[in-house]
Amino acid sequence: MTQSFKAILVERDENKRQSVSVVDMTPADLMDGNVEIAVAATTINYKDGLALTGKAPIVRRFPLVPGIDLAGTVISSSHADWKVGDKVILNGWGIGESHYGAFAERARVDGDWLVALPNGFSMRDAMAVGTAGFTAMRCVMRLEELGMTPERGPVVVTGASGGVGSVAIAILAKLGWHVVAVTGRREEDEFLKGLGAAEVIDRAELASAPKPLEAQRWAAGVDAVGGVTLAHMLASIKHGGAVACCGNASGMDLPTSVAPFILRAVSLLGVDASRVSRAERQRTWARIAADLDPGKLAAITKDIGFADIIEAGREITEGKVRGRLVVAMP
Ligand code: NDP
C-alpha cells in the first residue's frame, strides 16, 4: 500500500482566487527529483507568509506545497552525493515557490540543491536559523567583504524583532559591534537588549522622507524593511559606510537620492539567500556556528506545530511574529 502523508497545498480556482489547506498526498503526487527526504523540521519565513496568504506572487505554479526551508533525512537517492540516512538541509532553488517545498512530511528534490546538516546543529536548530538567519549572516559577510569593522562606528539593524533582524543583532553584537536596533514594537526593547542591542530606537524615527543627507549616525546597516526606512538609513550612514539590503517588509520601493552614494561614498549591498553555491552555503553555515551564540538562538526561537503553519503565515505578514518559528513535522 502506498503510504500517504500530510502536506499543505496552495491552490487557485478559475477566478485566480487562492486557497490553502492541509491535504493527504502520496509520493506519486510529488514533483520530479533524484533525492527523496523525510522532512523532520521546517520553519516560517516572511516569504512563506506571503506564499500562504497570497499577499505577494511568491507561488509560481499551482497547486504548490509552500515552505522554503527544510531539514530531514534522505530516504531514497539516485544522486551520487547522497545516500539513505544522510541528514540534509535545503533552502532556496525555488522550493516553496516553483518546486514543492517544505510544508509536507515528504519532499522530492534535486540532490544538487542539498547541503549536509551543518556540524554542531540539530535539525531543529538548523531550522531555527533557517533562511532568515542564513540571510542575516550573509548580510554580515557582505559588510565584512567591504571592510566594515566595529571600530568604524555603530551598526543599525531594521526589522529588529523579526527573524533576520533578531539573528543579525545577536551575530553583530557577538562580533563586537555597537548595535542599534530599529523596531516598531517598543515592548520588545528588553528582548532586543538581551540579544545584544546597545540601543533601541523607534522605527518612527526613520519613517519620514529623509533630506538627501541627514546627520551621520551609523557606520553600517542591515536592512530587512526597504522603503522610506532604507532611504532614511542610507542618508544617515557615515562617509565610506555600507548597508546590506535584504528585505522588503515595509515595501518594494526605495525613494532615495544619489546623494549618499556620490557625496559620502556609501555602498548599498544586495543580498539574495536563494541562489548561493553549495561551497558558499557551507562557509556561511560555518560562520553561523562560530558567531551565533546557541543561547541567543534559543531565546529567539519558538516551537509551533504543523497545524499552526497557516495561521503563523498570516501573523508573520502582519509583523506579529517575534524572532524565529520552528515546526516539527507530525
Ligand atoms: P519578519 O516578519 O520576521 O521580520 C520583519 C520585521 O520587519 C518585523 O518583525 C518588523 O520588525 C519589521 N516590519 C514589519 N512591517 C514593517 C513596516 N511596515 N515598516 C517597518 N518595519 C516593518 O520577516 P523575516 O525576518 O523573515 O524577513 C525580513 C525580510 O527579509 C522580508 O522582507 C523577507 O522577504 C526578506 N528576506 C530576504 C531574503 C533574501 O534572500 N534577500 C531571505 C530572507 C528574508 P519590528 O516589529 O521590530 O519593527
Side-chain angles (χ1 to χ4, degrees):
M1 202 178 78
T2 313
Q3 211 191 351
S4 73
F5 56 86
K6 294 269 175 248
I8 290 175
L9 201 64
V10 173
E11 295 173 278
R12 199 153 80 165
D13 67 17
E14 59 279 6
N15 298 316
K16 301 203 166 171
R17 270 192 307 256
Q18 182 174 312
S19 62
V20 57
S21 55
V22 178
V23 300
D24 288 312
M25 287 176 55
T26 69
D29 298 320
L30 291 173
M31 292 171 69
D32 287 347
N34 48 19
V35 180
E36 212 163 303
I37 299 161
V39 180
T42 181
T43 175
I44 317 290
N45 293 281
Y46 188 82
K47 203 184 232 181
D48 297 316
L50 296 176
L52 287 161
T53 58
K55 283 185 181 169
I58 300 300
V59 176
R60 301 285 171 187
R61 54 118 41 219
F62 293 90
L64 184 93
V65 175
I68 64 167
D69 256 321
L70 68 79
T73 305
V74 172
I75 52 174
S76 74
S77 170
S78 58
H79 188 284
D81 293 354
W82 307 109
K83 60 180 190 317
V84 172
D86 284 345
K87 291 184 169 30
V88 292
I89 58 168
L90 169 56
N91 69 354
W93 304 109
I95 70 150
E97 298 180 55
S98 53
H99 191 98
Y100 280 15
F103 297 159
E105 292 171 273
R106 293 276 182 280
R108 190 182 293 128
V109 302
D110 185 331
D112 286 350
W113 302 340
L114 296 170
V115 172
L117 181 69
N119 281 338
F121 287 90
S122 66
M123 296 212 205
R124 176 185 174 276
D125 287 349
M127 289 298 98
V129 175
T131 296
F134 182 87
T135 303
M137 190 75 240
R138 297 293 304 166
C139 288
V140 173
M141 291 166 79
R142 290 285 274 144
L143 293 173
E144 290 174 347
E145 279 162 20
L146 212 74
M148 297 296 124
T149 54
E151 296 69 42
R152 298 175 69 104
V155 61
V156 62
V157 178
T158 58
S161 314
V164 173
S166 56
V167 176
I169 290 167
I171 292 172
L172 288 161
K174 175 140 192 241
L175 292 171
W177 285 88
H178 179 101
V179 181
V180 180
V182 181
T183 184
R185 288 184 266 178
R186 298 311 302 271
E187 66 276 17
E188 301 297 357
D189 278 24
E190 289 313 309
F191 167 70
L192 296 171
K193 287 187 175 158
L195 295 181
E199 296 174 50
V200 183
I201 66 171
D202 203 299
R203 80 157 79 125
E205 270 192 46
L206 304 181
S208 58
K211 292 185 281 193
L213 294 174
E214 296 276 347
Q216 300 185 51
R217 298 175 75 180
W218 308 297
V222 171
D223 180 60
V225 162
V228 171
T229 306
L230 175 55
H232 215 116
M233 186 197 276
L234 287 167
S236 311
I237 294 289
K238 291 175 188 251
H239 193 278
V243 173
C245 158
C246 71
N248 61 340
S250 84
M252 274 292 195
D253 58 334
L254 178 54
T256 187
S257 79
V258 296
F261 310 112
I262 64 172
L263 298 174
R264 288 196 182 146
V266 169
S267 297
L268 182 57
L269 309 170
V271 173
D272 170 21
S274 69
R275 312 246 155 199
V276 179
S277 70
R278 195 190 285 173
E280 201 51 27
R281 279 180 194 278
Q282 284 164 342
R283 203 168 74 82
T284 306
W285 278 100
R287 284 293 309 272
I288 294 168
D291 297 328
L292 177 60
D293 179 344
K296 299 271 173 69
L297 182 62
I300 289 168
T301 305
K302 183 179 163 197
D303 292 278
I304 63 168
F306 186 79
D308 304 320
I309 288 177
I310 295 174
E311 174 62 11
R314 191 181 58 73
E315 286 181 358
I316 201 166
T317 61
E318 293 172 358
K320 291 181 179 163
V321 169
R322 181 174 96 170
R324 303 277 304 125
L325 299 176
V326 173
V327 184
M329 282 297 160

